[in-house]
Amino acid sequence: MHKISRPVNRDDSKNKSSGSAVYISDVIKPGMLAMAVKSADFQHGKINTIKKPELPEGYFYVDGKSFTGMNRASIVAQDWPFFAESEVLYFGQPVCAYTGPRIEVCEKLCIQTKIEYTPLPAVSVIEDAADFFNDYTIIKGNPDKSFKEAAQIFENQYRTGMQEQAYMEPQGMIAEFNEGKLTVYGSMQCPYYIKNSLKNAFNLDDDNVRVIQSITGGAFGGKEDYPSILAGQAAAAAIVSGKPVKIVLDRRNDMSVTPKRHPSLIKIRTAVDSEGNITAMDIDCRIDAGAYESLSGVVLERAIFISTGAYNIADVKVRGRTMKTNHIPSGAFRGFGGPQALFAADMNMYYLARKLNAAPLELKRRYLFQRGDISVTSGIFRDDIKLEEMISRVEEISDYSSKWAEYEKTSQAGDKMKGIGISFAAHGGAFTGNGEQEIIKSLVRLEWEPDKQTSAGGRLRILVSNVEMGQGASITLRKIVAEESGLPLEAIIFTNPDTDIVPDSGPTVASRTIMIVGKLIQDAAAMLKQKIEDDINSPSSVEKSYVHPPEFDWDEETFTGDAYPAYSWAVNVIEVEIDPITFEIKITGSWAVYDVGTPIDIKILEGQMQGGTAQSLGYSSIEKMQMINGKPAQVSFTDYTIPTTLDFPDTECVFIDNPYRYGPFGAKAAGELPNEGPAAAFTAAISQASGRMITEIPVTPEMLEEQLR
Amino acid sequence: MSDKLFSAGTLLPATIEEASSLIMQGFFPVGGGTDIMVRNHAMKKTGGRVKSPLFSCRRIEETTGIHTNGNILSIGSSCTLSSIIESSLCPAILAESLLSIASPGIRNIATLAGNICNASPAADSLPVLYILDAMIETAGSSGRRSIPVKEFITAPGTTSLKDDEIVVSVSFDSSICHDDAFRWYFRKVGTRAANALSKLSIAACTLVDNGIYSNFRLAVGACAPAVVRLSEAEDEINGKALDKGSELAERVIPVYTKALNPIDDQRSTSDYRRNTALKLIANLLSEGF
Ligand SMILES: Cc1cc2nc3c(=O)[nH]c(=O)nc-3n(C[C@H](O)[C@H](O)[C@H](O)COP(=O)(O)OP(=O)(O)OC[C@H]3O[C@@H](n4cnc5c(N)ncnc54)[C@H](O)[C@@H]3O)c2cc1C
């Protein structure tokens, strides 16, 4: 183990566990107003009239016309309006809002606002959707030829459900507008996304928009997109009223209006030659984007770029589409398209193993990617892939193969319903495609502030726009700089980003913070160390911007080349028991082996892996989010059940050593990886236990009862 | 209002009279508040009826403590679920059903009276109280009443509690639970392992003498607007041999099938609830207790 992996105490654990951390809902500004948004109680319709109640003194009305720039948030695409204009496209869409001294009054004004609609046809599910926002096709090799020459062709389809991020702290923002300058504070992952969105919304220049992150109580992708909407709404209210305005969503409201993970429907045709080798796949991947495109195009890219999973298939055709439906726009969620694609890819290998009479592991390992292989986008896997070593490790800790053989016998005899499954997952680190080099172009700055009172002779400040949101960015970024500069950890300062102070090092997404930003600050720390050694008593600073390693090629037009600079890998084993009467599912074992390069802090990584695995197992089993006629049916934690500590066993985790040459101390992507593999391992286990080929998650007792009754 | 009613910011009447007078002034009784809190929050958002202001009964002597009087066990309405579970007087079947409720923090403050007064078809104490033939003891300015739990709950969310009344205690004859021939069964099928609401639940108990059922009782929760307990099926089973379980199951399952009428909702489906409840009953009978 590298010495940087040794765990240290987190710098944010004390204030968060003691309750002294100040979240946005705790913040009060002088003269601050409350705000409530009127959401559409209609799935799809043209707005005929909006009947507004009379405004009490000190209350203001806000709608799409309150935006002096464009009434559209900039969330990759610029199509999602802050407030509906002539048409409502989904249940819960913001139509207008009220701001004023008392929240109860604002809420009452919303209830009293009556909207009349002319109904328009609504589409609620992928199957019924005809329109799409994006339609991409990728071809690797010569799939047509392989299908023509195939001895057998297998076809199956896989479905994944919606998932709510369920961060502990609901979404919230405060906006104020003073002397032409707009300042926004709130819970967020991407301060510069919000800043850019506000500039466009109000036609303000760079100097006149400031975004400050407040302590963020969990995000999981859920605070990548919607904070831009909320910030726009609060800013409009602050500009209209001339007062600071706060909006905090309560849980039901948050769950009713914010984006969730894209449901998917993925069809895979597989060509097999006369010797039983898989030669080609034809994949049709549809994800449910909801009513606006927003960032769905990028989610789709990540899904299709990894559409054969961890398996090297020679000839591949993939078509991906983001289907337009009438419900909440789907959004970012840890894994970002990966969990859907990997579920389908891995379950398809399980299906093929069953069809070809092979043990699933035996079939899967024949196709695992190896160094030098070609990805779906015709990129090259340049680094060592240690999946064989990872299989040995996971066998050692889980005893997968012998359990699999045992359950195969018992499940055939039909007595106890036990099963075990294994899955393989890959996660490309950093932004997809040309994101890092062409779009984000990260810039970081480190500053040295001399201070003779301190034992280190001063403080070194990390200035980046990446946020601490519970994942441990603050402590791990500080560790990297401390290790490189040789300064003690206490001398390294990280504070919540303020866009007036920090440069744009990009959003806190895509498992890029350590791998990309961490590397930049490591390099900057090496340079600053030199300056400090030359003159410890003078302030100094270093800036460093991202340079894409020259060997990676990417063509954004054709989606060919290296979609990601490096991949992280996971092997998951999940063991289950199904109650033969109630079909309740008990997960009896969870094991995983990860290759994330060098762990920057082993405790933090274990936390990520435990939490991510539980989140993925929830996604696979008890987390059911239904959109009934476009309206979410589960909008509280009573009905939307996320796992508690009693639901799943701890995951036994192993990290293998495989340092990445362009990562800080060898680290690569880690945060999203635990969400990629468990769903397929779980569903394979359920399939073995039930003797059925399960192709859909979440797997509920209701679904098993219907199939096995 | 007299100052002595207030203590640490909470309204705390010391007598039934004070309590009923508070109710008549528009106050609502609260136990642990774990249901009222959630319900009031939802009502505020939808413009529904909020239960406020509140008062607690916990200073009224009669509502505290767990006592026996002969064979009758009486549980005060202010007793928390945890204190009932921990009491040596509490029969194991009741403790098991109360342990299936929520999580330790909630059980430390929530009351049995609150669970009953919610009158939710999914309230987890109810199937056990139905098979123990529990009585709800109430009191108010119009006097005292002792109401069988089955009559106390009139519809989902409503009870026969009168406007001026509070629940004082819950009582039942616990002697059967101490019989050597006593056997019991409780099974909750919830949405997850803790802090989960019931999709369905089954409570059953019986005496088994020389392999023969007597005093067999069974109740199904969350599968109809109210808990289902059927004397027709119980009569069929009583007096029959335990080892004839499969035959008994065949005979009574149609009876239960007719009575169960579960709903489709955001937590489960009607089919699942019905089929699973019936399978659990059939399995209980064929396996024996
Ligand atoms: C997270 C969570 C999980 C839960 N899980 C479960 C579960 O698994 N199973 C389950 O059954 N329930 C569950 N509940 C619901 C609730 O906790 C229980 O029903 C609990 O027993 C209610 O008791 P209480 O004392 O808190 O009731 P309160 O909220 O205080 O009162 C409930 C109702 O009873 C009335 N009331 C209370 N005391 C009296 C009295 N002495 N006289 C007259 N009326 C009275 C109140 O006016 C109110 O209408 C859960 C609740 C939460 C928040």
Side-chain angles (χ1 to χ4, degrees), chain A residues 638, chain B residues 23 28-39 51 54 57 63 77-79 81 97 100-103 106 109-118 120 122-125 152 161 165-168 188 192 194-198:
Chain A
T638 308
Chain B
I23 298 179
F28 294 88
V30 63
T34 62
D35 202 76
I36 282 192
M37 176 188 66
V38 175
R39 192 165 292 201
K51 285 193 171 177
L54 303 171
C57 300
T63 71
S77 63
S78 298
C79 296
L81 299 179
S97 71
S100 79
I101 294 178
S103 51
I106 291 194
I109 186 163
T111 63
L112 182 57
N115 195 249
I116 298 167
C117 291
N118 267 340
S120 157
D124 286 313
S125 70
F152 183 76
L161 200 66
E165 287 178 326
I166 61 160
V167 172
V168 178
K188 165 174 172 174
R192 65 180 160 199
N195 261 337
L197 295 192
S198 275

Side-chain angles (χ1 to χ4, degrees), chain B residues 114-176:
Chain B
N115 195 249
I116 298 167
C117 291
N118 267 340
S120 157
D124 286 313
S125 70
L126 291 181
V128 171
L129 295 177
Y130 270 63
I131 63 172
L132 293 175
D133 291 322
M135 306 295 286
I136 313 303
E137 315 292 341
T138 67
S141 49
S142 53
R144 287 174 185 260
R145 297 193 297 154
S146 186
I147 313 158
V149 62
K150 185 167 146 235
E151 286 162 32
F152 183 76
I153 289 163
T154 49
T158 51
T159 66
S160 60
L161 200 66
K162 287 190 198 152
D163 271 352
D164 63 324
E165 287 178 326
I166 61 160
V167 172
V168 178
S169 64
V170 179
S171 64
F172 52 87
D173 183 343
S174 66
S175 59
I176 186 174

Side-chain angles (χ1 to χ4, degrees), chain A residues 147-203:
Chain A
F147 272 99
K148 224 171 277 161
E149 293 168 0
Q152 300 181 79
I153 293 174
F154 297 99
E155 188 170 334
N156 214 343
Q157 74 176 19
Y158 306 90
R159 191 188 292 270
T160 62
M162 224 173 225
Q163 189 182 19
E164 159 67 35
Q165 291 87 353
Y167 29 71
M168 288 256 269
E169 180 212 19
Q171 307 238 8
M173 287 285 161
I174 293 177
E176 55 189 353
F177 190 63
N178 285 324
E179 291 161 22
K181 182 154 184 166
L182 180 62
T183 305
V184 166
Y185 313 79
S187 186
M188 64 183 73
Q189 291 175 237
C190 315
Y192 273 93
Y193 277 10
I194 297 176
K195 175 167 174 161
N196 291 331
S197 186
L198 291 171
K199 277 164 59 184
N200 297 335
F202 298 101
N203 255 331

